[in-house]
Amino acid sequence: MNELQSIKVTIILILIFICLKSSAQFTIRGILKDTRSGLGIYNAHIINRNAQSYSVTDSSGRFKISVKTGDNLVLSSIGYKTNHYTIYNHTLVFKDSLILYMTVDTVELEQ
């Protein structure tokens, strides 16, 4: 019985640690790519709506932004459809190599 209680306490401590870790702030590094060409998108904005912070992609489409689990990122760039991306616990596994995509916004102009 003592060993079973020890296992229960260990499991509870692990769950508490996971909950505390998920509310912590992380820095995510990634690249924003064009869905059609696969090339990085220059000067795109990644806005964290929850933290009121943002990042701008470099010439290769790379970015770095601080997030917490549950944060909502807005991806925007001229000529592309605006995307929304929510940060989940499993996202943090890829926090140093996150790849996001944007699609060209094709609008037909009237003549």
Side-chain angles (χ1 to χ4, degrees):
M1 190 70 169
N2 198 9
E3 186 177 328
L4 183 59
Q5 287 177 338
S6 176
I7 292 173
K8 286 181 182 180
V9 169
T10 303
I11 290 173
I12 290 171
L13 289 174
I14 290 171
L15 291 174
I16 290 171
F17 176 75
I18 289 172
C19 290
L20 291 175
K21 190 78 169 164
S22 68
S23 66
Q25 192 154 0
F26 294 91
T27 298
I28 289 184
R29 296 177 199 329
I31 186 167
L32 187 57
K33 293 185 175 186
D34 181 296
T35 53
R36 194 178 307 164
S37 69
L39 298 174
I41 300 172
Y42 171 67
N43 206 32
H45 290 79
I46 295 96
I47 303 163
N48 184 339
R49 291 180 57 188
N50 301 78
Q52 301 298 315
S53 62
Y54 72 96
S55 178
V56 178
T57 59
D58 66 11
S59 59
S60 300
R62 297 191 184 284
F63 66 91
K64 177 173 69 170
I65 191 166
S66 294
V67 297
K68 290 182 183 177
T69 300
D71 281 357
N72 186 355
L73 302 181
V74 178
L75 315 173
S76 66
S77 184
I78 295 173
Y80 289 88
K81 293 180 182 177
T82 300
N83 286 352
H84 296 267
Y85 187 83
T86 302
I87 302 297
Y88 296 103
N89 281 335
H90 66 272
T91 306
L92 300 175
V93 172
F94 304 104
K95 67 181 182 175
D96 290 324
S97 60
L98 188 64
I99 300 174
L100 302 175
Y101 291 91
M102 292 185 77
T103 305
V104 173
D105 192 5
T106 53
V107 177
E108 294 185 23
L109 301 176
E110 293 183 27
Q111 294 182 355

